[in-house]
Amino acid sequence: MKIFNLAKENSILNSFISELRDVKIQKDSMRFRRNIERIGEILGYEMSKSLQYNTTTIETPLGNCKMSLLNNDIVLCSILRAGVPLHNGLLNYFDDAENAFISAYRHHKEKPDSFEIIVEYLACPSLENKTLILADPMLATGQSMLATFEALKPFGKPKNVHLVSVIGAQEGVDFLNDNFSEDTNLWIATIDPELSDKGYIVPGLGDAGDLAFGQKLQH
């Protein structure tokens, strides 16, 4: 798997990530969502450099101009519900993309520290020979991303696969590296060193879904 960690170079991206992490600023849920959206735009821009382009002639009021324009059939799939702001950010740049949504959550078993990933809802167009962008803001263990990818297989085999996250743990990145093909691309804003005993990213930022949309009822 090819890993593109944008934190390796300083940029304005640092400001958006710091506001996501800050316990005072992140209480503003509207700003929290907007920061994830902005990070999605940055990740989408960087990803766009690796996609395919065709030369097209554009007619202007004063003549013709040759332009290299994106030539990818993109399907953008996000994991609900935390993935919605990230999805919006990516969609701002890939506005012709088809869209897919999937729910995936942790179901804790008898032991509080153990869990399995449950997929309950999935809406997706055909993926056959298309470019799949699979987006989830928090890459902790990596199990949600893999479970989602497995659930998408009945919809066809993508030509290319791009994984997109805001914050990941090194353990989760390593897990994806071991379980996805070598030609898969991971685009991530920053990578944190570890997971807690319960599988949460440290230092991370907390629960992205709760911070974006409010606390959920437990079931």
Coordinates of all heavy atoms in Angstrom, one line a residue, residues 75-120:
V75 N -16.3 6.9 -7.6 CA -17.4 6.6 -6.6 C -16.8 7.0 -5.2 O -15.8 6.4 -4.8 CB -17.8 5.2 -6.6 CG1 -18.9 4.9 -5.5 CG2 -18.4 4.8 -8.0
L76 N -17.4 7.9 -4.5 CA -17.0 8.3 -3.2 C -17.9 7.7 -2.2 O -19.1 7.9 -2.1 CB -17.1 9.9 -3.1 CG -16.9 10.5 -1.8 CD1 -15.5 10.2 -1.2 CD2 -17.0 12.0 -1.9
C77 N -17.3 6.8 -1.3 CA -18.0 6.1 -0.3 C -17.5 6.5 1.1 O -16.3 6.5 1.4 CB -17.8 4.6 -0.5 SG -18.7 3.6 0.8
S78 N -18.5 6.9 1.9 CA -18.1 7.4 3.3 C -18.8 6.5 4.3 O -20.0 6.0 4.1 CB -18.5 8.8 3.5 OG -17.7 9.6 2.7
I79 N -18.2 6.3 5.5 CA -18.7 5.5 6.6 C -19.5 6.5 7.5 O -19.0 7.4 8.0 CB -17.6 4.8 7.3 CG1 -16.8 3.9 6.4 CG2 -18.1 4.0 8.5 CD1 -15.6 3.2 7.0
L80 N -20.8 6.2 7.6 CA -21.6 7.0 8.5 C -21.3 6.8 10.0 O -20.9 5.7 10.3 CB -23.1 6.6 8.2 CG -23.6 6.8 6.8 CD1 -25.0 6.3 6.6 CD2 -23.6 8.3 6.4
R81 N -21.5 7.8 10.8 CA -22.0 9.1 10.5 C -20.9 10.1 10.5 O -21.0 11.2 9.9 CB -23.1 9.6 11.5 CG -22.5 9.6 12.9 CD -23.5 10.0 14.0 NE -22.9 9.8 15.3 CZ -23.2 10.5 16.3 NH1 -24.1 11.5 16.3 NH2 -22.6 10.2 17.5
A82 N -19.8 9.8 11.1 CA -18.6 10.7 11.2 C -18.0 11.0 9.9 O -17.4 12.1 9.7 CB -17.5 10.1 12.1
G83 N -18.3 10.2 8.9 CA -17.7 10.4 7.6 C -18.4 11.5 6.7 O -17.9 11.9 5.7
V84 N -19.5 12.0 7.2 CA -20.3 12.9 6.3 C -19.5 14.2 6.1 O -19.5 14.7 4.9 CB -21.7 13.2 7.0 CG1 -22.4 14.3 6.3 CG2 -22.5 12.0 7.0
P85 N -18.9 14.9 7.1 CA -18.2 16.1 6.7 C -17.0 15.9 5.8 O -16.7 16.7 4.9 CB -17.7 16.7 8.1 CG -18.7 16.0 9.1 CD -19.0 14.7 8.5
L86 N -16.3 14.8 6.0 CA -15.2 14.4 5.2 C -15.7 14.2 3.7 O -15.1 14.6 2.8 CB -14.5 13.2 5.7 CG -13.2 12.7 5.0 CD1 -12.2 13.8 4.9 CD2 -12.6 11.5 5.7
H87 N -16.8 13.5 3.6 CA -17.4 13.2 2.3 C -17.7 14.5 1.6 O -17.4 14.7 0.4 CB -18.7 12.4 2.5 CG -19.4 12.0 1.3 ND1 -19.3 10.7 0.9 CD2 -20.1 12.6 0.4 CE1 -20.0 10.5 -0.3 NE2 -20.5 11.7 -0.6
N88 N -18.3 15.5 2.3 CA -18.6 16.8 1.8 C -17.4 17.5 1.2 O -17.4 18.1 0.2 CB -19.4 17.7 2.8 CG -20.8 17.2 3.1 OD1 -21.4 16.5 2.3 ND2 -21.3 17.6 4.2
G89 N -16.3 17.4 2.0 CA -15.1 18.1 1.6 C -14.5 17.5 0.3 O -14.1 18.2 -0.6
L90 N -14.5 16.2 0.2 CA -14.1 15.5 -1.0 C -15.0 15.8 -2.2 O -14.6 16.0 -3.3 CB -14.0 14.0 -0.8 CG -12.9 13.6 0.2 CD1 -13.1 12.1 0.7 CD2 -11.5 13.7 -0.5
L91 N -16.3 15.8 -1.9 CA -17.3 16.1 -3.0 C -17.2 17.5 -3.5 O -17.6 17.8 -4.6 CB -18.7 15.8 -2.4 CG -19.8 15.6 -3.5 CD1 -19.5 14.5 -4.4 CD2 -21.1 15.4 -2.8
N92 N -16.7 18.4 -2.7 CA -16.5 19.8 -3.1 C -15.5 19.8 -4.3 O -15.6 20.8 -5.1 CB -16.0 20.7 -2.0 CG -17.1 21.0 -1.0 OD1 -18.3 20.9 -1.2 ND2 -16.7 21.5 0.2
Y93 N -14.6 18.9 -4.3 CA -13.6 18.9 -5.4 C -13.9 17.9 -6.5 O -13.6 18.1 -7.6 CB -12.2 18.6 -4.8 CG -11.6 19.8 -4.2 CD1 -12.3 20.9 -3.7 CD2 -10.2 20.0 -4.1 CE1 -11.8 22.0 -3.1 CE2 -9.6 21.1 -3.6 CZ -10.4 22.1 -3.1 OH -9.8 23.3 -2.6
F94 N -14.5 16.7 -6.1 CA -14.9 15.7 -7.1 C -16.4 15.8 -7.3 O -17.1 14.9 -6.9 CB -14.4 14.4 -6.7 CG -13.0 14.3 -6.4 CD1 -12.4 14.0 -5.2 CD2 -12.1 14.4 -7.5 CE1 -11.1 13.9 -5.0 CE2 -10.7 14.3 -7.3 CZ -10.2 14.1 -6.0
D95 N -16.9 16.9 -7.8 CA -18.3 17.2 -7.8 C -19.1 16.3 -8.8 O -20.3 16.3 -8.7 CB -18.6 18.7 -8.1 CG -17.8 19.2 -9.2 OD1 -16.6 19.6 -8.9 OD2 -18.2 19.3 -10.3
D96 N -18.4 15.6 -9.7 CA -19.1 14.7 -10.6 C -19.1 13.3 -10.1 O -19.6 12.4 -10.8 CB -18.4 14.7 -12.0 CG -18.6 16.1 -12.7 OD1 -19.7 16.7 -12.5 OD2 -17.8 16.5 -13.5
A97 N -18.6 13.0 -8.9 CA -18.5 11.7 -8.4 C -19.9 11.1 -8.1 O -20.8 11.8 -7.7 CB -17.6 11.7 -7.1
E98 N -20.0 9.8 -8.3 CA -21.1 9.1 -7.7 C -20.9 8.9 -6.2 O -19.8 9.0 -5.8 CB -21.3 7.7 -8.4 CG -21.6 7.8 -9.9 CD -21.7 6.4 -10.5 OE1 -20.7 5.9 -10.9 OE2 -22.8 5.9 -10.6
N99 N -22.0 8.6 -5.5 CA -21.9 8.5 -4.1 C -22.4 7.2 -3.5 O -23.4 6.7 -4.0 CB -22.6 9.7 -3.4 CG -22.0 11.0 -3.8 OD1 -21.2 11.6 -3.2 ND2 -22.5 11.6 -4.9
A100 N -21.7 6.8 -2.4 CA -22.1 5.6 -1.7 C -22.0 5.9 -0.2 O -21.1 6.7 0.2 CB -21.2 4.4 -2.1
F101 N -22.8 5.2 0.6 CA -22.8 5.4 2.0 C -23.0 4.1 2.7 O -23.7 3.2 2.2 CB -23.9 6.4 2.5 CG -23.8 7.8 1.9 CD1 -24.4 8.1 0.8 CD2 -23.0 8.7 2.6 CE1 -24.3 9.4 0.3 CE2 -22.8 10.0 2.1 CZ -23.5 10.3 0.9
I102 N -22.3 3.9 3.8 CA -22.3 2.6 4.5 C -22.2 2.9 6.0 O -21.5 3.8 6.4 CB -21.2 1.7 4.1 CG1 -21.3 0.3 4.7 CG2 -19.8 2.3 4.3 CD1 -20.4 -0.7 4.0
S103 N -23.0 2.2 6.8 CA -22.8 2.3 8.3 C -22.0 1.2 8.8 O -22.1 0.0 8.4 CB -24.2 2.2 8.9 OG -24.8 0.9 8.8
A104 N -21.1 1.5 9.7 CA -20.2 0.5 10.3 C -19.9 1.0 11.7 O -19.5 2.1 11.9 CB -18.9 0.4 9.5
Y105 N -20.2 0.1 12.7 CA -19.9 0.5 14.1 C -19.4 -0.6 14.9 O -19.5 -1.8 14.5 CB -21.2 1.1 14.7 CG -22.3 0.0 14.9 CD1 -22.4 -0.7 16.1 CD2 -23.2 -0.3 13.9 CE1 -23.4 -1.7 16.3 CE2 -24.2 -1.2 14.1 CZ -24.3 -1.9 15.2 OH -25.2 -2.9 15.4
R106 N -18.8 -0.3 16.0 CA -18.2 -1.3 16.9 C -19.3 -1.9 17.8 O -20.0 -1.1 18.5 CB -17.1 -0.6 17.8 CG -15.9 -0.1 17.1 CD -14.9 0.5 18.1 NE -13.7 0.9 17.4 CZ -12.6 1.4 18.1 NH1 -12.7 1.5 19.4 NH2 -11.6 1.8 17.4
H107 N -19.4 -3.2 17.7 CA -20.3 -3.9 18.6 C -19.4 -4.6 19.7 O -18.7 -5.5 19.4 CB -21.1 -4.9 17.9 CG -21.9 -5.8 18.8 ND1 -23.0 -5.3 19.5 CD2 -21.9 -7.1 19.0 CE1 -23.5 -6.3 20.2 NE2 -22.8 -7.4 19.9
H108 N -19.6 -4.1 20.9 CA -18.7 -4.7 22.0 C -19.4 -6.0 22.5 O -20.6 -6.0 22.8 CB -18.6 -3.6 23.1 CG -17.8 -2.5 22.8 ND1 -16.4 -2.4 22.9 CD2 -18.1 -1.3 22.2 CE1 -16.0 -1.3 22.5 NE2 -17.0 -0.6 22.0
K109 N -18.5 -7.0 22.7 CA -19.0 -8.3 23.1 C -19.0 -8.3 24.7 O -19.2 -7.3 25.3 CB -18.1 -9.3 22.5 CG -18.0 -9.3 21.0 CD -17.0 -10.3 20.5 CE -16.9 -10.3 19.0 NZ -15.9 -11.3 18.4
E110 N -18.8 -9.5 25.2 CA -18.9 -9.6 26.7 C -17.8 -8.8 27.3 O -18.0 -8.1 28.4 CB -18.7 -11.1 27.1 CG -19.9 -12.0 26.7 CD -19.8 -12.4 25.2 OE1 -18.8 -12.1 24.6 OE2 -20.8 -13.0 24.7
K111 N -16.6 -8.8 26.8 CA -15.5 -8.0 27.3 C -15.6 -6.6 26.7 O -15.6 -6.4 25.5 CB -14.2 -8.6 27.0 CG -14.0 -10.0 27.6 CD -12.6 -10.6 27.3 CE -12.4 -11.9 27.9 NZ -11.1 -12.5 27.5
P112 N -15.5 -5.5 27.6 CA -15.6 -4.1 27.1 C -14.5 -3.8 26.1 O -14.7 -2.9 25.3 CB -15.5 -3.3 28.4 CG -15.9 -4.2 29.5 CD -15.4 -5.6 29.1
D113 N -13.3 -4.4 26.2 CA -12.2 -4.0 25.4 C -12.2 -4.8 24.1 O -11.3 -4.5 23.2 CB -10.9 -4.3 26.1 CG -10.7 -3.4 27.4 OD1 -11.5 -2.4 27.4 OD2 -9.9 -3.7 28.2
S114 N -13.1 -5.7 23.8 CA -13.2 -6.4 22.6 C -14.4 -6.0 21.8 O -15.5 -5.7 22.4 CB -13.2 -7.9 22.8 OG -14.3 -8.3 23.5
F115 N -14.3 -6.0 20.5 CA -15.5 -5.6 19.7 C -15.3 -6.2 18.3 O -14.3 -6.7 17.9 CB -15.5 -4.1 19.6 CG -14.3 -3.5 18.9 CD1 -14.2 -3.3 17.6 CD2 -13.3 -3.0 19.7 CE1 -13.1 -2.7 17.0 CE2 -12.1 -2.4 19.2 CZ -12.1 -2.3 17.8
E116 N -16.5 -6.2 17.6 CA -16.5 -6.6 16.2 C -17.2 -5.5 15.4 O -17.9 -4.7 15.9 CB -17.3 -7.9 16.0 CG -18.7 -7.8 16.4 CD -19.5 -9.2 16.2 OE1 -19.0 -10.0 15.4 OE2 -20.5 -9.4 16.9
I117 N -16.9 -5.4 14.1 CA -17.4 -4.3 13.3 C -18.7 -4.8 12.6 O -18.7 -5.9 11.9 CB -16.4 -3.9 12.2 CG1 -15.1 -3.4 12.8 CG2 -17.0 -2.8 11.3 CD1 -15.3 -2.2 13.8
I118 N -19.8 -4.1 12.8 CA -21.1 -4.5 12.3 C -21.5 -3.5 11.1 O -21.4 -2.3 11.3 CB -22.2 -4.4 13.4 CG1 -21.9 -5.4 14.5 CG2 -23.6 -4.8 12.8 CD1 -21.8 -6.8 14.1
V119 N -21.8 -4.0 10.0 CA -22.2 -3.2 8.8 C -23.7 -3.5 8.7 O -24.2 -4.6 8.5 CB -21.5 -3.6 7.6 CG1 -22.1 -2.9 6.4 CG2 -20.0 -3.3 7.7
E120 N -24.6 -2.4 8.7 CA -26.0 -2.6 8.7 C -26.7 -1.9 7.5 O -27.7 -2.4 7.0 CB -26.6 -2.0 10.0 CG -26.4 -2.8 11.2 CD -27.2 -2.3 12.4 OE1 -27.6 -1.1 12.4 OE2 -27.4 -3.1 13.3

